Amino acid sequence: MFEYAPAPESRAIVDIKPSYGLFINGEFVDGNGTSFKTVNPATEEVLAEVAEASDADVDEAVKAARRAYTRVWSRMSGAERAKYLYRIARIIQERGRELAVLESIDNGKPIKESRDVDVPIVAAHFFYYAGWADKLKYSGYGETPLGVAGQVIPWNFPLLMLAWKIAPALACGNTVVLKPAETTPLTALLFAEICQQADLPPGVVNIVTGAGETGRAIVSHPDVDKVAFTGSTEVGKAIARAVAGSDKKVTLELGGKAANIVFDDAPIDQAVEGIVDGIFFNQGHVCCAGSRLLVQESVADEVLERLKRRMSTLRMGDPLDKNTDVGAINSGEQLMRIRELSEVGDAEGAERWEVACDLPTKGYWFPPTIFTGVSQAHRIAREEIFGPVLSVLTFRTPSEAVEKANNTPFGLSAGVWTDKGSRILSMANRLRAGVVWANTFNKFDPTSPFGGYKESGYGREGGRHGLEAYLKTPSLKGADA
Ligand code: NAP
Ligand code: MG
């Protein structure tokens, strides 16, 4: 194996303040709640003290969003709103390195991912929805905004999930109150500074930090017209119950347990790259991760051998090092969950294989791992691990592959690896998943809608379809009345 000299990205570009307030009505305010700490999961270093928004703070934020909605944002023409969105997109590009470094420090993801994937897609998302702002009448969903959107996001793609929520909401003329996850608030707070820099009218974007209670206060606030949530299926169900009976519009982007299906005619080396990308990208903290490998029996041994060889070359360690492929697990709590479910895998009789490597002594780390001999009933085949752990199952026929792939309560994504175009089409038609990638995996583009079936949630983000969540769709009958 090669030895690499460390090539860390400098941290000097980011200015992490000792403490942060809430971003309400265009300003940072103290709030009247308590505070919490955010840490660097690769080192356990405390990065900053962050305000925890109370119910009263959330109420202030919703009031600010309502004022901005009625007085300014909903009255502005789409073309004017677009100017702000383009400006935000350009500032994100200009400050891209700063955002990427901060994201890697607060989240633990490798800099090559935050720099080359997260931040460019974030900017692209704002550019894309800026383009829609003055063309809503062609959207097919009307052009009337909903009002105030309450948005709650997870920690795996902090800035990207923020962009997926805020860009379409603003383009459609809504104002927002957004809560980032407790463990990754810093890039959302830097985004708040970007809103100031872009001269976005006060109150159009409000960022309230906190934990689950703050999220609950947002989604249950009576003056919130629209709830957009990305996170676990469990919390998603609780939110669906909380808003039932109200006239809030809801979109839920929840968990997944994607099948990555490799046929015997697939180009094996490319498939191995796709398997690695599918489950080890972002430490496997990916809702659409290809966490169930379904490999055709005749090539299973060969695929596994090449996969293990490839996994042995993955470099784990300092997220800021440009050579790093796999960074830190986002929190001690998440590490515990990954360990627990992996131990269930051992107990259920699956065979564990992990990359032999020295893990740093500080921080939260889990080596890239695969389980073979997994059967469909195993918990590691059914439940989301949300970490760098792959369950391997085999199949003999395409029908068996479809049946096993669909045998899950989730339906977010799937991958198919084969040389035959006709097989790709027939598999895509039969797989119950929102996105099916063929001979690739984890491809994201703002023009393409993303979302789930079944327990993976409802609603779509991205593309023209992503506008529906933020517009009052005219009813077909009464549309022209
Ligand atoms: P989570 O526990 O559901 O948390 C998501 C967000 O909801 C966090 O901001 C959390 O706050 C907040 N929250 C917790 N309890 C709440 C409540 N009762 N009411 C309102 N908000 C509440 O999810 P997670 O474990 O952090 O995130 C990982 C999950 O997200 C995975 O299941 C993954 O598949 C899913 N995900 C889905 C997509 C998609 O597009 N489908 C994309 C990314 C991730 P705190 O965390 O700050 O306490
Ligand atoms: Mg953190």
Side-chain angles (χ1 to χ4, degrees):
M1 251 244 275
F2 298 105
E3 287 296 330
Y4 285 82
E9 179 80 36
S10 167
R11 224 183 121 141
I13 193 164
V14 299
D15 170 26
I16 302 179
K17 298 173 184 63
S19 66
Y20 288 86
L22 310 167
F23 184 66
I24 296 177
N25 205 32
E27 287 173 12
F28 284 94
V29 297
D30 286 342
N32 50 30
T34 46
S35 66
F36 62 94
K37 294 174 174 41
T38 185
V39 303
N40 177 342
T43 60
E44 296 174 54
E45 169 203 1
V46 173
L47 295 168
E49 195 78 38
V50 182
E52 179 166 14
S54 64
D55 286 14
D57 298 323
V58 168
D59 189 49
E60 281 304 311
V62 173
K63 283 194 181 119
R66 174 63 59 194
R67 275 196 308 273
Y69 175 74
T70 35
R71 294 185 193 165
V72 186
W73 201 244
S74 65
R75 294 182 174 191
M76 202 182 269
S77 71
E80 282 302 310
R81 287 200 306 272
K83 287 184 196 168
Y84 287 100
L85 289 167
Y86 280 122
R87 203 180 288 164
I88 289 171
R90 282 195 302 270
I91 299 172
I92 288 169
Q93 287 186 320
E94 282 160 18
R95 300 181 70 172
R97 200 155 79 86
E98 191 182 347
L99 288 162
V101 170
L102 188 61
E103 193 78 309
S104 282
I105 293 174
D106 201 15
N107 167 282
K109 64 174 71 204
I111 186 74
K112 72 170 185 188
E113 292 178 5
S114 50
R115 181 196 61 198
D116 299 346
V117 182
D118 298 45
V119 172
I121 305 183
V122 167
H125 225 79
F126 277 97
F127 278 119
Y128 175 75
Y129 279 109
W132 268 113
D134 63 348
K135 303 173 193 71
L136 295 174
K137 65 169 177 279
Y138 307 110
S139 71
Y141 302 117
E143 44 186 333
T144 313
L146 300 171
V148 175
Q151 308 180 319
V152 179
I153 57 172
W155 44 262
N156 56 342
F157 292 94
L159 197 58
L160 185 57
M161 292 299 105
L162 173 149
W164 282 23
K165 296 280 177 281
I166 292 185
L170 263 44
C172 293
N174 305 275
T175 57
V176 310
V177 176
L178 176 135
K179 188 192 92 64
E182 190 183 358
T183 57
T184 53
L186 295 185
T187 46
L189 294 164
L190 182 51
F191 179 81
E193 283 178 29
I194 289 174
C195 292
Q196 288 179 324
Q197 194 184 341
D199 270 331
L200 189 71
V204 172
V205 167
N206 303 274
I207 308 282
V208 289
T209 42
E213 270 307 294
T214 306
R216 197 200 40 72
I218 294 173
V219 302
S220 57
H221 194 289
D223 202 32
V224 162
D225 303 294
K226 151 82 192 177
V227 171
F229 172 79
T230 295
S232 61
T233 296
E234 186 192 346
V235 175
K237 285 180 179 171
I239 290 175
R241 279 193 296 272
V243 301
S246 74
D247 56 6
K248 290 187 169 89
K249 196 165 169 175
V250 187
T251 39
L252 302 172
E253 296 284 352
L254 310 176
K257 190 77 190 174
N260 206 356
I261 306 167
V262 179
F263 285 97
D264 60 5
D265 63 340
I268 301 289
D269 284 331
Q270 277 99 314
V272 165
E273 284 307 309
I275 296 165
V276 166
D277 180 47
I279 187 64
F280 303 123
F281 173 71
N282 204 36
Q283 298 72 246
H285 301 326
V286 184
C287 51
C288 53
S291 52
R292 283 184 299 149
L293 173 64
L294 295 181
V295 56
Q296 200 156 16
E297 214 172 79
S298 49
V299 288
D301 289 344
E302 186 186 352
V303 168
L304 281 173
E305 192 201 312
R306 291 204 214 179
L307 175 61
K308 287 177 181 174
R309 202 188 314 147
R310 176 67 180 90
M311 283 169 65
S312 310
T313 67
L314 291 173
R315 288 183 293 275
M316 267 190 99
D318 180 6
L320 285 186
D321 192 319
K322 292 162 209 145
N323 292 321
T324 295
D325 297 306
V326 181
I329 300 302
N330 180 252
S331 64
E333 203 187 342
Q334 184 61 22
L335 179 60
M336 285 243 297
R337 276 193 221 138
I338 298 170
R339 282 193 182 139
E340 273 170 24
L341 204 47
S342 300
E343 278 158 24
V344 170
D346 297 330
E348 285 172 328
E351 192 181 323
R352 187 198 294 229
W353 182 89
E354 62 186 33
V355 169
C357 61
D358 295 329
L359 299 178
T361 48
K362 277 262 177 192
Y364 314 119
W365 304 91
F366 196 90
T369 298
I370 55 181
F371 277 101
T372 50
V374 177
S375 79
Q376 295 191 78
H378 285 171
R379 275 181 60 197
I380 49 168
R382 306 196 64 77
E383 291 175 28
E384 195 179 31
I385 295 185
F386 223 59
V389 181
L390 178 69
S391 296
V392 183
L393 296 93
T394 58
F395 67 91
R396 288 184 182 168
T397 63
S399 294
E400 190 187 342
V402 169
E403 193 191 306
K404 285 188 170 167
N406 288 341
N407 184 9
T408 168
F410 298 109
L412 199 51
S413 58
V416 179
W417 298 82
T418 174
D419 202 30
K420 290 189 189 66
S422 56
R423 180 176 281 161
I424 291 171
L425 293 176
S426 87
M427 291 295 288
N429 282 334
R430 293 156 76 194
L431 291 168
R432 296 278 296 158
V435 180
V436 179
W437 286 294
N439 294 326
T440 186
F441 209 88
N442 277 342
K443 283 278 172 287
F444 288 96
D445 188 286
T447 63
S448 169
F450 179 87
Y453 278 86
K454 304 190 276 188
E455 289 196 10
S456 291
Y458 40 83
R460 291 291 178 268
E461 293 188 290
R464 182 183 66 84
H465 299 77
L467 296 166
E468 185 180 14
Y470 293 99
L471 291 169
K472 262 185 206 133
T473 309
S475 73
L476 283 179
K477 255 201 262 164
D480 299 323

